[in-house]
Amino acid sequence: MTGGSLRLSAPSFWTWIMIAACVMLGVLLFWPILSVFIISFEDADTGRFTLENYIQIFTRRYYVSALTNTLIVGVAGMLGACLLGVPLAFCMSRFQLRGRTLISTMAVLTLVSPPFIGAYAWIMLLGNNGAITNALGAIGIDIPSIYGMAGIILIFSLKFFPFIYLMTENALNGINKSLEDAAENLGCSGWRRFRKVTLPLVFPAVSTGAIISFVLSIADFGTPAIIGRGVRTLSTIAYTQYTSEMGGTPTMAVTISMVMIAISMLALLIQRRMLAKRRYASSMTHKRQRAPLHGARSVLVHGVSYGIALAGMVPAFVVIWTSFLATNGPVFSGGFGLDSYRRIMAEAPDAVMNSFIFALCAVALIAVVSSLLSFIVVRRESFISGLLDLILMVPYLVPGVVMAIGFVTTFNSGWYNLVGTATMIILIVFIRRLPYGVRSTSSVLRQVKPSIEEAAIALGASPAKTFLKITVPLIMPGIIVGSLMSFITAINELSSTLIVYTASTVTMPVKIYLSVVDGEFGVAAALSTVLTVSTGLCVFLVFRLSEDREANFV
Amino acid sequence: MADVHLKRVRKSYGNVMALSEINIEIPTGTFFTLLGPSGCGKTTLLRAIAGFHTHDSGEIVVNGTDIGKLPAHRRNVGMVFQDYAIFPHVTVRENVAFGLKERKVPRAEITRRVDDILEKVQLAAYADRMPHALSGGQQQRVGLARALVVQPTLLLMDEPLSNLDAKLRVDLRRELRAVQQSMDMTTVYVTHDQEEALAMSDTVCVMYGGVIQQAAAPWEIYHSPANRFVAAFVGSNNFIPLVNGTIAGVPVPLAPGIPGNGAELALRPENLQIVTGTPPEGMVTLPATLDQVAFTGREVSVALHLENGQEVQAICAPDPALLGLPRGARTQLAFDPSRAQVFESGVTGRRLS
Ligand SMILES: Nc1ncnc2c1ncn2[C@@H]1O[C@H](COP(=O)(O)OP(=O)(O)OP(=O)(O)O)[C@@H](O)[C@H]1O
Ligand SMILES: [Mg+2]
């Protein structure tokens, strides 16, 4: 009844918006992906059709090892994240912990901080010249190297566990207590009950979180680039190939990109398949009481929970601490000082400015477009609106490196030549983060009764005017939260910007990456602190503005 | 201020036929009620008139012009919603002024007309409140004021009172009718409460399965229902099948031309009497067994069953003797055959007498 309600009354306005939305997604999303797809079948020199690029990827050692490395870090990062996220979720949902809000806030902060900051923060602690390495070295203990595979997996586990924690906790809280009681009553208790009853019930949530971690792990560029040393992954070699093929046709870079998209899609499909077989109707829940904690058990549970949450926050503490260390050039000269901040004021004011300007432009676009798109998705029941909903999943699956290569190979000539412009950076961030905006606005719009809009129409307001005067004010909370969420991800964007930036369009994440590569840890720390603080501020605002706090972040 | 004429209006959702061949004429100033069970197409018809969705074919003629192709915001049709649909982000006054602003009415006139209408619906004191600080009944009146203030050619209301408690419903019913009459506003009103329909309407239109069963004045709907569905839906009725012209072996005098089989006698509970002595002249009496007697104050409702097991409801004047009868008591049920109506069997069976 409600769905197609405005179909007749609004043939022109919303039909135009729908057409515009399709054109926009076609140009900014499908065209780049399609051109990447086509180029991957071209011979670099002759431009003829060939399968040679794919054959190389699956036969040449350089590529095969990157492919295996990618899969290994993806799977291991995902498992590591589960090992941290599931116990934390269990402790949080089953026991009376002190400082619950603190723990979940730390988890969210971990979630929103970019992984490359984690990578170099851990280097500063456990690297060859790291604080902990040196301290332990002084008392004669050698710790294994943080560089390479182990480091990447450590960073991914610590970075992505909050996805799993937040989703699993939500699911655990939703389990009907009677189910577990019934199991206990039937003689199944303790660990066995957890394995046989509880775990299967939260499996959909855990697996969704796990897939997100996997997709983000294989797409991440900064971490393997900073801490990987010899370990190459698909995203780092895509970047290297792209820079080395610069000028010519980037056939190998785009072929790698296609393989990355394929892996992400495959992961999503596998997860869907697994979920399809397990569908549990959840009934009205009989909420469980959280168990009180005493004695050794209390110490253990608190220790585990705070340990996990704090481990995720270590990078933030490290960069903030480091940013206030006195430096002399790239060397820390002992004691505290504001040298690093002075240096970024002198050397990288444009990086700071650019970051904010680009992010704000992208967010403004996202706010406008996502409110229009969510109206189409929520209010107009048609084939196309269903399709739009599905299409908006695509940006989640396309790694940033791939999106950027797609843009560069598409918008590179004639009047639509955007190579090297700020516009390109803004558009890439816009299209990649649009789904966040649409998701949060449409969830608010679903709560607004369509009859309120119909009342305005019946009173003579045109569809466009109804949208502006009635719908927009009512979904404003969703638009604001969506904008904050997209701002957080926009300002931290590294992987795509690194491909398309020029001297005049440097951003903070790019500058941080370059500084780390150059060993300028002080500058990197000061910039990271600026990023972390702006991100934290947005998180604070989302918490203030939204009732369902943590749910906004997963 | 408008006469409405629906001509052969059809609407289906996929293969669900929601409206089939709707033909209605509504003269100016009429309070026209659509009455029917859930899912019979009332809302669908109302929304087609308002323009919230297209109908498949047919015409919606208002004052001589077909508005069926006009977008909803240009139809000048007022609508009062079941869930009030008050704009939650602006005050009562701004809610009511919304349509006037859309029509570019001068500011001074807006103030005057809003004040007038708020007076009329007794909300003058609440003009500057936000909607969430109003009770359900007050919100409903804001919805009414908002629709009326623009003086629409036609006012549509979809179960506007169904979310309110019984007492408020009766009060608002009266207010609503008074306002409608004072403005002489052609009104299409949807309800599935038959009492509400009978009490308020000039014309009651009974719908079933997307088809109009009967459209007539309340008296006529109640006393001469066009078919078995209307007889069953409006007021209560006992339907007793005829077998070879008899009920449980007792012959019933029927008008000529009425078949002795495949027809049902419709007896309103208030037309049934329980007699203990000799039945009055001209009445048909049926032996019956008492199941339950319920005293509701003004009357006594009695449940019985006939010898063939058929259950029957009767409504009688309160009588201590009746209330004293034990469960299972044998008694006699009497009715005047001239007050009985005969219908063909089947949900929408034709009326035969
Ligand atoms: N959007 C839709 N898609 C498919 N079928 C629908 C849709 N809307 C209504 N219907 C069907 O059309 C028929 C009429 O629905 P309608 O809402 O008009 O009933 P109604 O008389 O208003 O009922 P109620 O008294 O419950 O409000 C129903 O069978 C319903 O299931
Ligand atoms: Mg209805």
Side-chain angles (χ1 to χ4, degrees):
Chain A
M1 276 289 314
T2 54
S5 51
L6 297 178
R7 195 170 303 159
L8 167 76
S9 52
S12 46
F13 180 66
W14 285 110
T15 311
W16 280 119
I17 296 290
M18 185 114 99
I19 294 170
C22 293
V23 171
M24 181 202 77
L25 289 173
V27 171
L28 295 184
L29 191 56
F30 287 104
W31 192 12
I33 295 178
L34 195 70
S35 52
V36 168
F37 182 73
I38 292 173
I39 293 175
S40 72
F41 290 102
E42 272 176 20
D43 186 290
D45 303 321
T46 63
R48 286 220 202 87
F49 174 86
T50 174
L51 288 177
E52 185 54 34
N53 303 325
Y54 285 96
I55 295 173
Q56 284 204 22
I57 291 214
F58 292 106
T59 50
R60 269 184 49 192
R61 263 199 53 159
Y62 174 72
Y63 296 115
V64 175
S65 75
L67 180 59
T68 8
N69 287 342
T70 304
L71 291 176
I72 292 173
V73 297
V75 171
M78 176 182 89
L79 291 179
C82 289
L83 280 179
L84 297 174
V86 174
L88 180 59
F90 193 79
C91 292
M92 285 286 275
S93 99
R94 291 299 141 92
F95 300 111
Q96 288 175 3
L97 284 177
R98 280 170 208 284
R100 312 176 57 80
T101 325
L102 182 62
I103 293 181
S104 60
T105 308
M106 288 199 288
V108 168
L109 285 172
T110 304
L111 192 72
V112 295
S113 73
F116 58 86
I117 291 187
Y120 91 82
W122 283 104
I123 290 184
M124 308 227 297
L125 291 179
L126 299 175
N128 289 345
N129 195 21
I132 298 180
T133 320
N134 289 345
L136 291 178
I139 54 170
I141 304 176
D142 273 344
I143 53 166
S145 166
I146 178 89
Y147 299 97
M149 201 69 101
I152 301 177
I153 294 171
L154 174 78
I155 308 290
F156 284 165
S157 309
L158 286 174
K159 161 68 194 169
F160 296 126
F161 81 84
F163 282 112
I164 293 172
Y165 151 64
L166 290 172
M167 292 191 162
T168 311
E169 190 196 9
N170 207 354
L172 277 172
N173 289 340
I175 291 183
N176 195 337
K177 180 175 182 297
S178 317
L179 280 175
E180 291 183 342
D181 288 350
E184 186 125 19
N185 181 255
L186 293 169
C188 178
S189 66
W191 167 245
R192 223 177 114 73
R193 185 188 69 181
F194 177 73
R195 212 163 44 92
K196 293 266 176 193
V197 180
T198 315
L199 212 51
L201 284 174
V202 295
F203 179 79
V206 178
S207 72
T208 307
I211 288 303
I212 297 181
S213 315
F214 177 79
V215 169
L216 291 175
S217 300
I218 64 168
D220 189 49
F221 165 81
T223 308
I226 289 172
I227 210 173
R229 290 266 165 98
V231 177
R232 297 187 193 87
T233 65
L234 288 181
S235 55
T236 57
I237 64 166
Y239 173 74
T240 327
Q241 282 292 336
Y242 173 76
T243 35
S244 71
E245 285 172 327
M246 199 90 97
T249 323
T251 46
M252 281 325 285
V254 302
T255 311
I256 298 166
S257 301
M258 287 316 298
V259 174
M260 289 171 75
I261 296 183
I263 296 175
S264 303
M265 281 166 82
L266 206 64
L268 193 76
L269 281 181
I270 291 173
Q271 190 239 2
R272 286 277 146 100
R273 280 297 290 274
M274 289 196 300
L275 284 192
K277 285 192 217 140
R278 309 163 175 249
R279 227 165 247 292
Y280 314 111
S282 82
S283 53
M284 185 52 220
T285 56
H286 170 190
K287 275 222 162 169
R288 68 166 49 250
Q289 296 289 312
R290 293 198 176 91
L293 285 167
H294 302 287
R297 200 173 151 109
S298 171
V299 173
L300 180 71
V301 171
H302 277 95
V304 167
S305 306
Y306 276 93
I308 294 173
L310 283 170
M313 287 296 288
V314 163
F317 297 141
V318 171
V319 293
I320 293 175
W321 169 271
T322 316
S323 74
F324 290 108
L325 294 179
T327 59
N328 183 4
V331 198
F332 293 108
S333 51
F336 291 96
L338 292 176
D339 305 319
S340 302
Y341 288 95
R342 251 175 245 125
R343 282 193 62 196
I344 64 170
M345 295 287 275
E347 292 170 23
D350 49 339
V352 182
M353 282 304 288
N354 283 344
S355 275
F356 279 98
I357 293 172
F358 297 167
L360 287 174
C361 289
V363 166
L365 275 177
I366 289 172
V368 173
V369 174
S370 67
S371 42
L372 291 166
L373 274 182
S374 16
F375 191 92
I376 294 177
V377 169
V378 175
R379 286 289 192 259
R380 292 170 60 92
E381 252 169 26
S382 73
F383 173 71
I384 297 195
S385 62
L387 199 65
L388 280 181
D389 205 17
L390 203 66
I391 288 175
L392 285 171
M393 289 288 296
V394 174
Y396 285 118
L397 291 178
V398 182
V401 178
V402 177
M403 205 69 216
I405 293 178
F407 264 67
V408 178
T409 51
T410 308
F411 305 105
N412 58 3
S413 61
W415 58 270
Y416 55 83
N417 185 350
L418 295 178
V419 175
T421 62
T423 313
M424 181 177 271
I425 296 185
I426 293 170
L427 286 178
I428 294 177
V429 174
F430 160 72
I431 199 72
R432 291 195 70 206
R433 304 314 178 190
L434 184 61
Y436 290 88
V438 175
R439 210 178 54 163
S440 103
T441 11
S442 53
S443 73
V444 175
L445 184 56
R446 272 178 235 276
Q447 318 285 321
V448 177
K449 290 186 205 135
S451 62
I452 293 181
E453 285 149 4
E454 287 167 1
I457 299 257
L459 288 168
S462 66
K465 205 155 182 193
T466 302
F467 179 73
L468 271 182
K469 289 180 76 172
I470 305 296
T471 315
V472 168
L474 293 180
I475 59 173
M476 201 38 103
I479 298 180
I480 292 174
V481 170
S483 302
L484 288 167
M485 292 300 303
S486 2
F487 182 81
I488 291 173
T489 47
I491 201 164
N492 288 314
E493 175 75 25
L494 169 69
S495 53
S496 65
T497 322
L498 196 58
I499 298 249
V500 297
Y501 85 97
T502 61
S504 62
T505 55
V506 159
T507 62
M508 283 193 275
V510 171
K511 185 77 189 163
I512 295 170
Y513 173 76
L514 298 175
S515 308
V516 171
V517 172
D518 291 347
E520 295 270 13
F521 285 122
V523 172
L527 283 170
S528 299
T529 305
V530 175
L531 263 190
T532 306
V533 170
S534 357
T535 308
L537 206 64
C538 291
V539 171
F540 172 74
L541 287 176
V542 172
F543 272 23
R544 285 297 299 271
L545 292 173
S546 165
E547 293 173 8
D548 207 5
R549 305 159 132 233
E550 288 91 15
N552 291 300
F553 296 91
V554 290
Chain B
M1 288 147 281
D3 57 296
V4 180
H5 195 168
L6 304 190
K7 296 180 188 165
R8 310 169 66 84
V9 173
R10 285 166 167 276
K11 164 86 186 168
S12 50
Y13 296 107
N15 48 17
V16 180
M17 180 62 87
L19 299 174
S20 67
E21 291 285 312
I22 300 291
N23 289 293
I24 306 179
E25 258 184 277
I26 310 174
T28 299
T30 308
F31 195 105
F32 185 94
T33 300
L34 293 170
L35 175 67
S38 189
C40 72
K42 306 179 298 285
T43 300
T44 307
L45 181 56
L46 210 66
R47 294 171 63 84
I49 300 176
F52 293 137
H53 54 212
T54 61
H55 44 293
D56 304 340
S57 64
E59 288 173 40
I60 299 171
V61 181
V62 176
N63 284 339
T65 44
D66 181 7
I67 61 165
K69 297 280 181 297
L70 229 51
H73 66 282
R74 304 241 301 276
R75 292 194 183 188
N76 197 23
V77 166
M79 179 115 180
V80 180
F81 294 82
Q82 177 173 1
D83 56 5
Y84 321 134
I86 305 300
F87 308 136
H89 60 301
V90 294
T91 61
V92 168
R93 173 178 294 283
E94 284 168 83
N95 259 284
V96 177
F98 188 92
L100 295 174
K101 284 187 188 153
E102 281 311 311
R103 285 167 175 71
K104 307 264 184 303
V105 174
R107 187 178 288 231
E109 196 187 333
I110 293 186
T111 317
R112 188 179 56 75
R113 279 167 71 176
V114 170
D115 286 341
D116 278 357
I117 199 79
L118 286 178
E119 198 67 51
K120 205 166 220 157
V121 298
Q122 303 171 14
L123 282 176
Y126 301 89
D128 296 312
R129 288 229 194 150
M130 291 303 278
H132 63 82
L134 297 181
S135 73
Q138 289 162 344
Q139 291 193 30
Q140 191 56 273
R141 279 180 284 173
V142 175
L144 180 65
R146 187 178 65 181
L148 286 173
V149 76
V150 298
Q151 296 169 349
T153 43
L154 175 63
L155 182 63
L156 307 176
M157 296 192 243
D158 192 353
E159 307 197 28
L161 305 183
S162 65
N163 283 345
L164 306 173
D165 68 56
K167 162 119 179 49
L168 192 56
R169 205 148 63 205
V170 175
D171 291 350
L172 268 181
R173 194 197 273 176
R174 233 174 260 134
E175 274 176 40
L176 228 164
R177 177 68 163 146
V179 172
Q180 182 264 339
Q181 277 174 328
S182 75
M183 297 181 75
D184 198 28
M185 181 84 67
T186 312
T187 301
V188 181
Y189 186 93
V190 167
T191 182
H192 53 227
D193 178 341
Q194 37 158 313
E195 195 189 309
E196 195 170 292
L198 296 176
M200 298 177 81
S201 321
D202 296 311
T203 306
V204 176
C205 172
V206 180
M207 286 182 74
Y208 175 68
V211 178
I212 291 182
Q213 306 295 327
Q214 184 176 15
W219 177 272
E220 204 182 330
I221 291 278
Y222 192 83
H223 291 286
S224 26
N227 63 26
R228 189 184 181 285
F229 179 82
V230 178
F233 192 77
V234 182
S236 39
N237 234 328
N238 295 296
F239 289 95
I240 307 172
L242 287 168
V243 181
N244 299 325
T246 70
I247 296 172
V250 180
V252 182
L254 292 171
I258 292 178
N261 287 305
E264 291 177 33
L265 217 56
L267 295 166
R268 296 258 182 222
E270 63 268 28
N271 294 337
L272 289 172
Q273 292 173 23
I274 295 182
V275 283
T276 33
T278 40
E281 193 60 27
M283 300 278 262
V284 177
T285 50
L286 306 165
T289 308
L290 197 81
D291 289 329
Q292 207 173 50
V293 181
F295 174 57
T296 58
R298 216 177 318 164
E299 57 205 20
V300 179
S301 141
V302 187
L304 316 98
H305 64 265
L306 303 180
E307 304 223 299
N308 60 358
Q310 165 95 41
E311 291 181 356
V312 180
Q313 289 280 337
I315 289 177
C316 311
D319 175 3
L322 191 57
L323 287 170
L325 287 179
R327 183 187 151 83
R330 314 269 308 162
T331 176
Q332 307 242 59
L333 206 54
F335 67 92
D336 178 352
S338 68
R339 305 191 106 179
Q341 290 171 336
V342 187
F343 295 92
E344 273 179 3
S345 301
V347 182
T348 56
R350 235 168 5 116
R351 189 159 104 210
L352 300 170
S353 77

